[in-house]
C-alpha cells in the first residue's frame, strides 16, 4: 500500500470525491481515504504522479508520504508528521480572531437592538453608520474564515459540493440579503428621509447570523480537530519513548550517535534506566526489561545472553551489551506504528453506508433549502423569513458527522489495541474480528507453552529430591527433547549438579543407562524398565493415568529396583482455560487443531476446555479444516508457526501470537504482542465495542439530520411554534461533529480484559456466494477433509490421487509426542513423501508416497538422529 497526504478535505463528501477520482486511475486496484487523518492508501501498480494528478484535478491537494531511507530515519519522520496535530493551532488562531470581531457584532444586534444596551452616541443616533459597521465587521469575519468559501467554491466548480459549500452558501446568503437591506435603508434615510421605514429595513439585517454561523462552525471544527488529535495519543506515547540516540561500541570505545546512524550488526550498550535504541540480541549481561510500551505488560521481563530486546523498551536493572538485528523501519516499534498508519488509511466495510449517503447529501440539502424558501414564499411569508428558513437548513445539515462516525472509532479502537498489545492491521480486521463465530486454536505454542516441562513426580521408596537428583544426573548427558525438561526442573530445585554418571549409554527404543558410585541407573519407557526392574500394578495404573492426561511417564530404576516416575508434558499456558471460557461466554465455538495423536490431543483439549478437538492435522490439513469450518460460520484462526500461515490466510481473521514466526505474523490480520491466549477474547471484545460505538455514531449522525433539518425548515411551526434562528442551526451543526468524536473517545475508557459483560450475539449468516467467491480466489489448495462432526477427529488430509505406495517403518527409540514429531519431520522432508504418521506407542511410522523412495533413504532419514533405529520396513 502506498500512502498519501491529502489536503483540502472538509467533510465526508470530500473524501468520497477523492476516492471516486483516484479509483478511476489506471492500475489502482483499491483506494481508501481517511477524513480523520487526511490520508489516503492506494493499492495497485498506478504511478504516484497519476494518483496525485487525479486528486489535484478533483480540487484537492496530495503528496506521497515519505519512504524509509538512511536506515529508517525518514520513516520515523514520516510517522511523526502523520501523528503530529498541525490543524488545531491554526483553528485556534482563526477562532480567537473570529470571536474578537463577533463580540461587537453581537453586542449591537443582541445587546442594543434587543436588550437596549447602551451604545456610543454617534452610533445610537446614526443607524446608517451602525449598519455599515455591521457589514464591515462581518466582512472581516468572512475574510478570517475564507477557507470555507474557497473550499466551497472549489467543490461547486468540480461538481462535488461539500460541507464548506453549505456553510459558505448560508453565510453568503445572510450577508447578501443583509447588504441589500442596508442599501434600501440608505435609500430610505438619504432619499426618502423616512427613519421609520429605515428601522424596518434594519430589523431585516442578518449580519450577525453570517458572522455567528462562520464563528460557530469554526468552534466546532476546532473542537473536532482537537478531539481527532486525541485519537492518536496512544501511538504518540509510543513515539515519545523511542530514543533519539544510541551508544555504540566502535574501536573499543563508546560513541553516542543518532539513531539513524545505527546499522544492522552494530554493537550497542544500554545502561539501567535507558531505553533500548533498536531491536537486538543480548551478547553480554543480565537485566530486567520493561516491555510495557510494546506489550502493555507492566511486569519486567528477565533477559539473559541470547534473548531478544526491542526498541522503546526500558532497561531497568543491569548493564547489557547487544548486537543490532533490526534497525529503522524494521524494528518492532516501527512496525507497530506502520500497522496503525495502514489501519488508519484503510476503510471499514461499515463506512460504505456513510460514504454512499455523503455522496448525495450536500446536493440534496441544497435542493431542500431552495424548496424550503420557495414554499414559505408561496404561502405568503416575507422573503426575510423564507431566507432565514433556507439558511437554517443549509447550516444545520452536517455531512461531517456522517464522515467521522466510522474513522474516529476505528482510530481510537486501534489505539486501545496498541496500548494493550493487540495490533489490528486494517480497519477491516478490526470490524470483522468481533463477528467471529468459530475460533480455531493451534495447540503447540498457542494453547500450550511449546516446551516440555515436568508435571508430576511419583517416587517409589525414595524422596522426590533423590528421585530428581538421580534422574538429573542420568539425563544430563542425553540429547533427547524430554531430557531438557528434567534438567530445567533440577536447576529450579537446586539439585546437586556436580554428580557425574559413568559408562553412560543411550539405547535407541529403550532409554538411558549409567553407573553412579557403583550403582546402576536406568531410565526410559515402561517396556525397557519392565525388563530390568519390577513394576507394580499400582505404578502401572498411575502411569496409564498420566498418559491419559497427555503426559509422557519416564521410569527410573536403581540397581534393579524402581525408584519412581517423572511425567513430562507440553503443559497448557496458565491463562488458556480462562481464555477458552471467555470465548465460549461470547458465544464462540472453540476448536483445537493439532498434529498430535488422538490420545494426547484429547487430554490437552479436556484440560483447556475446548468444544472440539481435531487431531492428526498436517500443515496443509489445517488449511483444509479451516475451509470446512468456514461453512459453519466466520472463523478466526490463532497460530504462531510457519505451518500455520496457510490456515491464517484462509481464515476470515488470522490471529498471530507475537512470539511466533515472522511468516505467521505477516499472514495474520491481528497480531498479539504478548503471546497470551487471553488476548484473543480481548481482541474480539474490543472489536465488538468499536463496532457498537460506530453504530451509535451513525445513529446519532442520521438521527440528528432527520430531526434537525425539518425543524430548521420550519416544518413544525404551526404545531409547536418552533422557529430556528440560523445561528442556532450553526451551533447544532458544530456540536453534532463534536458529539460523534467525543462518543468515539469514550472507547479510551473501555476495559478490554473485563469479561463480566460478555454475551453471545447473533450474527448475520454468511452467504453461500461469499464462500464460493473465496474458493475461486484460492488455487492449489489441498482437498478438504470431511466436516468435523465428532468431538475428537483424526484429520490426515492428503490428496489420495497422488499416492502410489504406503510403507510402514518399525522404529525403536520413540518415547513421546516430541519423538513422533522429529520422525515425522525427518520423513516428510524427503521428496516423494506426501505424509508420515508416527506413533511412539506402536513404534511405527506409516509413510504415504507419491513417488518411489528407496528403503535405505527412509532409514537414513530416521536414523540421522542417533536416538532412533529402524528395525524393519513393510
Amino acid at each position: 500500500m502506498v500512502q498519501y497526504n491529502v489536503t483540502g478535505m472538509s467533510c465526508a463528501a470530500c473524501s468520497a470525491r477523492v476516492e471516486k477520482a483516484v479509483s478511476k486511475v489506471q492500475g489502482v486496484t483499491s483506494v481508501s481515504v481517511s477524513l480523520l487523518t487526511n490520508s489516503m492508501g492506494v493499492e495497485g501498480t498506478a504511478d504516484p504522479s497519476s494518483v496525485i494528478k487525479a486528486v489535484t484535478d478533483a480540487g484537492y491537494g496530495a503528496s506521497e508520504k515519505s519512504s524509509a531511507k538512511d536506515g529508517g530515519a525518514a520513516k520515523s519522520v514520516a510517522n511523526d508528521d502523520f501523528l503530529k496535530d498541525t490543524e488545531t493551532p491554526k483553528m485556534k488562531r482563526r477562532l480567537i480572531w473570529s470571536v474578537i470581531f463577533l463580540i461587537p457584532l453581537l453586542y449591537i444586534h443582541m445587546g442594543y437592538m434587543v436588550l437596549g444596551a447602551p451604545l456610543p452616541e454617534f452610533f445610537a443616533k446614526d443607524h446608517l453608520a451602525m449598519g455599515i459597521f455591521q457589514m464591515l465587521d462581518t466582512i472581516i469575519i468572512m475574510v478570517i474564515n475564507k477557507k470555507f468559501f474557497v473550499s466551497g467554491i472549489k467543490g461547486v466548480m468540480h461538481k462535488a459540493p461539500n460541507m464548506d459549500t453549505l456553510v459558505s452558501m448560508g453565510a453568503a446568503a445572510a450577508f447578501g440579503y443583509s447588504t441589500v437591506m442596508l442599501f434600501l435603508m440608505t435609500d430610505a434615510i438619504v432619499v426618502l428621509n423616512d427613519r421609520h421605514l429605515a428601522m424596518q429595513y434594519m430589523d431585516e439585517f442578518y449580519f450577525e447570523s453570517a458572522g455567528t454561523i462562520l464563528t460557530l462552525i469554526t468552534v466546532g471544527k476546532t473542537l473536532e480537530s482537537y478531539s481527532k488529535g486525541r485519537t492518536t495519543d496512544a501511538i504518540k506515547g509510543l513515539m515519545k519513548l523511542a530514543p533519539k540516540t544510541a551508544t555504540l561500541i566502535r574501536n573499543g570505545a563508546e560513541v553516542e550517535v543518532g539513531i539513524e546512524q545505527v546499522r544492522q550488526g552494530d554493537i550497542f550498550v544500554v545502561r539501567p534506566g535507558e531505553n533500548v535504541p533498536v531491536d537486538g540480541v543480548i551478547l553480554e549481561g543480565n537485566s530486567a526489561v520493561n516491555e510495557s510500551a510494546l506489550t502493555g505488560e507492566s511486569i519486567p521481563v528477565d533477559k539473559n545472553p541470547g534473548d531478544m530486546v526491542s526498541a522503546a523498551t526500558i532497561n531497568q536493572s543491569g548493564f547489557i551489551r547487544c548486537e543490532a538485528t533490526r534497525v529503522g523501519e524494521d524494528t518492532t516499534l516501527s512496525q507497530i506504528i506502520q500497522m496503525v498508519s495502514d489501519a488508519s488509511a484503510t476503510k471499514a466495510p461499515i463506512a460504505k453506508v456513510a460514504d454512499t449517503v455523503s455522496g448525495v447529501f450536500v446536493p440534496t440539502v441544497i435542493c431542500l433549502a431552495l424548496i424550503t424558501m420557495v414554499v414559505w414564499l408561496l404561502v405568503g411569508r416575507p422573503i426575510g423569513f423564507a431566507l432565514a428558513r433556507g439558511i437554517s437548513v443549509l447550516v444545520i445539515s452536517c455531512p461531517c458527522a456522517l464522515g467521522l462516525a466510522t474513522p474516529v472509532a476505528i482510530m481510537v479502537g486501534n489505539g486501545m489495541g496498541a496500548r494493550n498489545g493487540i495490533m489490528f492491521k486494517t480497519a477491516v480486521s478490526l470490524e470483522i474480528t468481533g463477528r467471529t463465530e468459530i475460533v480455531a486454536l493451534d495447540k503447540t505454542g498457542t494453547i500450550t507453552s511449546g516446551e516440555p516441562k515436568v508435571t508430576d513426580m511419583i517416587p517409589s521408596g525414595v524422596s522426590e529430591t533423590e528421585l530428581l537428583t538421580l534422574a538429573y544426573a542420568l539425563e544430563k548427558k542425553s540429547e533427547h527433547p524430554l531430557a531438557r525438561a528434567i534438567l530445567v526442573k533440577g536447576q529450579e530445585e537446586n539439585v546437586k549438579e556436580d554428580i557425574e554418571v559413568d559408562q553412560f549409554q543411550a539405547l535407541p527404543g529403550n532409554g538411558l543407562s549409567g553407573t553412579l558410585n557403583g550403582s546402576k541407573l536406568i531410565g526410559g519407557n515402561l517396556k525397557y524398565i519392565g525388563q530390568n526392574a519390577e513394576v507394580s500394578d499400582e505404578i502401572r495404573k498411575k502411569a496409564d493415568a498420566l498418559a491419559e492426561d497427555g503426559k509422557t511417564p519416564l521410569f527410573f530404576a536403581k540397581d534393579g529396583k524402581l525408584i519412581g516416575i517423572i511425567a513430562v508434558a507440553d503443559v497448557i499456558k496458565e491463562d488458556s482455560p480462562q481464555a477458552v471460557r471467555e470465548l465460549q461466554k461470547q458465544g464462540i465455538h472453540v476448536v483445537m487443531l493439532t498434529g498430535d495423536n488422538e490420545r494426547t490431543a484429547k487430554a490437552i483439549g479436556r484440560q483447556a476446555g475446548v468444544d472440539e478437538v481435531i487431531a492428526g492435522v498436517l500443515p496443509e490439513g489445517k488449511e483444509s479444516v479451516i475451509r470446512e469450518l468456514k461453512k459453519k460460520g466466520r472463523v478466526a484462526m490463532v497460530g504462531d508457526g510457519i505451518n500455520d500461515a496457510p490456515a491464517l490466510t484462509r481464515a476470515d481473521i488470522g490471529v498471530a501470537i507475537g512470539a511466533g514466526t515472522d511468516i505467521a505474523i505477516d499472514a495474520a490480520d491481528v497480531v498479539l504482542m504478548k503471546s497470551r491466549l487471553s488476548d484473543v477474547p480481548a481482541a474480539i471484545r474490543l472489536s465488538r465495542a468499536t463496532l457498537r460505538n460506530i453504530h451509535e455514531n451513525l445513529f446519532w449522525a442520521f438521527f440528528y439530520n432527520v430531526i434537525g433539518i425539518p425543524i430548521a425548515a420550519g416544518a413544525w411551526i404551526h404545531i409547536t411554534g418552533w422557529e430556528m434562528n440560523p445561528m442556532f442551526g450553526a451551533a447544532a451543526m458544530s456540536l453534532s461533529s463534536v458529539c460523534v468524536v467525543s462518543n468515539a473517545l469514550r472507547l479510551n475508557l473501555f476495559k478490554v480484559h473485563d469479561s463480566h459483560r460478555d454475551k453471545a450475539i447473533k450474527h448475520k449468516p454468511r452467504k453461500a456466494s461469499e464462500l464460493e467467491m473465496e474458493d475461486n480466489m484460492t488455487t492449489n489448495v489441498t482437498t478438504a477433509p470431511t466436516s468435523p462432526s465428532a468431538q475428537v477427529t483424526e484429520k490426515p488430509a492428503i490428496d489420495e490421487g497422488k499416492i502410489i505406495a504406503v510403507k510402514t517403518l518399525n522404529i525403536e527409540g520413540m518415547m513421546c509426542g516430541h519423538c513422533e514429531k522429529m520422525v515425522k519431520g525427518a520423513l516428510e522432508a524427503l521428496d516423494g513423501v506426501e505424509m508420515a504418521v508416527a506413533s511412539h506407542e506402536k513404534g511405527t511410522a506409516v509413510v504415504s508416497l507419491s513417488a518411489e523412495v528407496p528403503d535405505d533413504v527412509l532409514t537414513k532419514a530416521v536414523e540421522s538422529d542417533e536416538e532412533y533405529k529402524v528395525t524393519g520396513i513393510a
Side-chain angles (χ1 to χ4, degrees):
M1 177 185 289
V2 180
Q3 292 198 33
Y4 299 82
N5 295 307
V6 182
T7 58
M9 296 190 299
S10 61
C11 68
C14 296
S15 59
R17 169 70 177 171
V18 173
E19 199 165 293
K20 184 177 180 181
V22 174
S23 64
K24 294 179 180 178
V25 176
Q26 186 174 2
V28 172
T29 56
S30 70
V31 57
S32 58
V33 180
S34 172
L35 176 65
L36 176 66
T37 58
N38 292 318
S39 63
M40 173 177 66
V42 179
E43 293 185 355
T45 58
D47 183 60
S49 60
S50 301
V51 173
I52 293 173
K53 184 178 184 300
V55 176
T56 304
D57 292 344
Y60 306 92
S63 61
E64 189 175 358
K65 288 190 176 181
S66 302
S67 58
K69 295 177 182 179
D70 302 325
K75 185 71 175 180
S76 299
V77 174
N79 280 322
D80 202 320
D81 291 341
F82 161 72
L83 294 170
K84 188 176 181 181
D85 183 8
T86 58
E87 193 64 24
T88 302
K90 296 177 185 177
M91 295 304 302
K92 283 182 178 178
R93 287 193 295 271
R94 273 176 56 184
L95 177 59
I96 291 172
W97 284 110
S98 297
V99 170
I100 289 174
F101 285 98
L102 179 64
I103 290 174
L105 194 61
L106 288 179
Y107 182 82
I108 291 175
H109 180 78
M110 303 296 293
Y112 172 71
M113 297 178 65
V114 178
L115 302 177
L119 275 179
E121 188 174 348
F122 70 91
F123 256 7
K125 291 183 178 180
D126 192 343
H127 291 161
L128 183 58
M130 190 187 304
I132 293 173
F133 175 82
Q134 290 183 68
M135 182 184 69
L136 294 175
D137 198 317
T138 305
I139 289 174
I140 293 173
I141 296 174
M142 292 170 73
V143 171
I144 292 171
N145 295 282
K146 63 182 181 294
K147 187 176 179 181
F148 289 129
F149 296 92
V150 173
S151 175
I153 292 172
K154 279 186 177 179
V156 173
M157 291 174 61
H158 289 90
K159 299 179 182 179
N162 51 34
M163 187 206 76
D164 290 340
T165 304
L166 299 179
V167 174
S168 57
M169 284 182 66
F175 177 80
Y177 178 76
S178 301
T179 302
V180 171
M181 291 300 103
L182 176 59
F183 279 106
L184 292 175
M185 186 183 78
T186 303
D187 184 66
I189 293 174
V190 176
V191 179
L192 302 176
N193 197 25
D194 187 343
R195 293 195 171 274
H196 178 70
L197 180 60
M199 287 299 296
Q200 289 182 351
Y201 286 128
M202 193 170 184
D203 289 339
E204 293 294 319
F205 284 176
Y206 284 101
F207 286 121
E208 85 292 339
S209 292
T212 304
I213 287 170
L214 295 172
T215 304
L216 285 177
I217 298 299
T218 303
V219 170
K221 283 287 185 181
T222 303
L223 292 174
E224 178 188 312
S225 179
Y226 172 74
S227 299
K228 284 160 67 175
R230 287 279 311 278
T231 61
T232 57
D233 281 352
I235 308 305
K236 288 176 184 174
L238 268 182
M239 295 197 68
K240 288 178 182 177
L241 291 174
K244 300 293 185 290
T245 61
T247 303
L248 301 183
I249 302 295
R250 288 183 176 172
N251 299 322
E254 293 185 8
V255 181
E256 187 173 288
V257 300
I259 197 69
E260 68 277 1
Q261 297 181 39
V262 181
R263 297 291 182 268
Q264 186 175 351
D266 283 349
I267 307 300
F268 63 90
V269 297
V270 187
R271 290 178 170 78
E274 294 181 347
N275 286 21
V276 177
V278 296
D279 290 5
V281 59
I282 297 178
L283 301 177
E284 182 183 322
N286 302 279
S287 182
V289 177
N290 186 338
E291 298 181 336
S292 60
L294 303 182
T295 67
E297 186 61 64
S298 59
I299 301 175
V301 179
D302 291 333
K303 297 288 185 178
N304 302 300
D307 290 339
M308 303 298 297
V309 290
S310 300
T313 58
I314 303 173
N315 178 24
Q316 291 197 325
S317 56
F319 177 90
I320 54 177
R321 184 168 168 267
C322 313
E323 178 182 346
T325 55
R326 293 180 176 180
V327 299
E329 66 174 340
D330 295 326
T331 65
T332 304
L333 174 65
S334 294
Q335 289 175 0
I336 289 175
I337 295 172
Q338 186 62 43
M339 282 185 201
V340 175
S341 175
D342 287 344
S344 67
T346 58
K347 187 167 291 185
I350 195 172
K352 294 178 181 178
V353 178
D355 289 346
T356 302
V357 175
S358 299
V360 297
F361 185 84
V362 175
T364 302
V365 168
I366 293 174
C367 292
L368 286 175
L370 292 173
I371 292 171
T372 299
M373 290 177 60
V374 171
V375 169
W376 282 116
L377 289 172
L378 290 176
V379 298
R381 290 293 185 124
I383 188 171
F385 179 90
L387 183 65
R389 303 288 74 75
I391 293 173
S392 295
V393 170
L394 287 174
V395 298
I396 199 173
S397 306
C398 189
C400 234
L402 287 172
L404 290 172
T406 300
V408 289
I410 292 292
M411 180 62 85
V412 176
N414 266 310
M416 277 295 293
R419 278 203 296 266
N420 289 276
I422 302 169
M423 306 304 303
F424 296 94
K425 287 188 176 180
T426 63
V428 176
S429 61
L430 178 55
E431 177 182 336
I432 296 179
T433 299
R435 295 175 176 167
T436 300
E437 298 168 86
I438 301 170
V439 169
L441 304 173
D442 177 49
K443 189 207 78 171
T444 306
T446 303
I447 293 179
T448 66
S449 62
E451 295 182 0
K453 294 182 179 179
V454 172
T455 58
D456 302 87
M457 288 194 293
I458 305 175
S460 178
V462 296
S463 65
E464 281 192 1
T465 302
E466 185 177 354
L467 170 61
L468 183 59
T469 301
L470 295 175
Y472 181 90
L474 190 58
E475 297 284 2
K476 191 161 56 171
K477 294 186 176 182
S478 173
E479 296 180 356
H480 195 278
L482 298 185
R484 176 169 170 75
I486 294 177
L487 298 182
V488 170
K489 181 67 174 177
Q491 291 167 358
E492 290 175 353
E493 299 295 330
N494 296 316
V495 301
K496 295 180 180 179
E497 298 186 23
D498 56 349
I499 301 177
E500 294 289 338
V501 297
D502 300 319
Q503 301 177 21
F504 175 82
Q505 280 187 305
L507 307 175
N510 295 306
L512 311 171
S513 69
T515 59
L516 178 65
N517 298 328
S519 298
K520 185 177 182 180
L521 299 178
I522 58 173
N525 57 28
L526 177 59
K527 178 182 177 182
Y528 176 51
I529 295 295
Q531 295 172 354
N532 295 274
E534 184 179 348
V535 181
S536 66
D537 292 339
E538 182 182 356
I539 291 294
R540 290 176 185 271
K541 289 179 180 179
K542 289 181 179 180
D544 289 339
L546 292 171
E548 281 294 325
D549 288 336
K551 302 171 184 178
T552 301
L554 302 177
F555 296 79
F556 293 91
K558 179 181 179 182
D559 292 332
K561 183 179 180 182
L562 184 72
I563 58 174
I565 300 174
I566 295 180
V568 177
D570 183 7
V571 298
I572 65 174
K573 297 177 182 177
E574 291 183 4
D575 67 327
S576 292
Q578 177 62 28
V580 171
R581 286 193 295 269
E582 290 181 11
L583 288 170
Q584 291 167 337
K585 188 178 178 181
Q586 292 172 341
I588 294 171
H589 183 74
V590 185
V591 180
M592 185 182 83
L593 308 182
T594 178
D596 289 343
N597 61 60
E598 181 178 333
R599 186 179 187 182
T600 302
K602 187 174 182 180
I604 296 296
R606 184 169 59 247
Q607 293 174 40
V610 299
D611 298 307
E612 183 178 353
V613 175
I614 303 179
V617 184
L618 296 176
E620 60 269 27
K622 290 180 183 178
E623 190 273 345
S624 300
V625 170
I626 295 299
R627 183 197 287 252
E628 289 297 314
L629 290 175
K630 286 177 70 174
K631 295 178 181 179
K632 299 181 178 181
R634 293 177 180 85
V635 178
M637 170 67 192
V638 185
D640 70 329
I642 292 176
N643 60 3
D644 296 324
L648 291 171
T649 304
R650 166 62 69 180
D652 295 287
I653 287 292
V655 183
I657 295 294
T661 64
D662 288 343
I663 293 177
I665 292 173
D666 288 343
D669 304 292
V670 183
V671 178
L672 306 181
M673 304 299 294
K674 279 184 282 194
S675 302
R676 230 169 43 176
L677 190 57
S678 58
D679 281 343
V680 175
I684 293 172
R685 199 174 292 121
L686 178 58
S687 172
R688 289 182 178 180
T690 304
L691 198 59
R692 187 163 56 247
N693 191 279
I694 291 173
H695 286 148
E696 292 168 357
N697 289 343
L698 287 174
F699 169 78
W700 285 113
F702 281 112
F703 179 78
Y704 159 81
N705 284 293
V706 168
I707 298 299
I709 292 176
I711 293 176
W716 313 114
I717 286 180
H718 296 295
I719 301 174
T720 63
W722 292 347
E723 186 177 315
M724 181 177 287
N725 188 296
M727 290 188 295
F728 294 111
M733 181 185 191
S734 299
L735 288 174
S736 65
S737 295
V738 174
C739 289
V740 165
V741 176
S742 299
N743 184 53
L745 289 175
R746 287 193 309 110
L747 278 172
N748 283 312
L749 304 176
F750 184 72
K751 298 178 180 178
V752 297
H753 290 288
D754 186 354
S755 62
H756 290 95
R757 295 185 179 181
D758 284 349
K759 61 179 180 180
I761 60 175
K762 291 184 178 180
H763 299 279
K764 185 179 179 181
R766 183 197 295 274
K767 296 179 181 178
S769 57
E770 293 179 17
L771 283 172
E772 184 179 350
M773 181 177 67
E774 290 175 6
D775 288 342
N776 291 337
M777 291 172 63
T778 305
T779 58
N780 299 326
V781 177
T782 306
T783 304
T786 56
S787 178
S789 56
Q791 183 69 13
V792 182
T793 315
E794 290 280 350
K795 291 290 177 184
I798 59 172
D799 187 346
E800 295 180 358
K802 294 182 179 180
I803 305 305
I804 63 170
V806 176
K807 294 184 179 182
T808 301
L809 284 70
N810 295 311
I811 303 172
E812 290 184 352
M814 293 193 295
M815 300 172 62
C816 63
H818 291 276
C819 298
E820 293 175 352
K821 289 182 180 179
M822 292 186 71
V823 170
K824 176 185 175 71
L827 289 169
E828 290 182 347
L830 298 174
D831 291 336
V833 176
E834 282 295 304
M835 183 181 72
V837 179
S839 170
H840 74 277
E841 295 170 335
K842 298 177 181 177
T844 61
V846 180
V847 183
S848 300
L849 304 175
S850 58
E852 187 64 36
V853 180
D855 290 352
D856 61 329
V857 174
L858 295 173
T859 301
K860 186 177 179 180
V862 174
E863 294 183 348
S864 61
D865 190 317
E866 296 180 359
E867 296 282 340
Y868 313 114
K869 182 179 181 180
V870 177
T871 59
I873 299 179

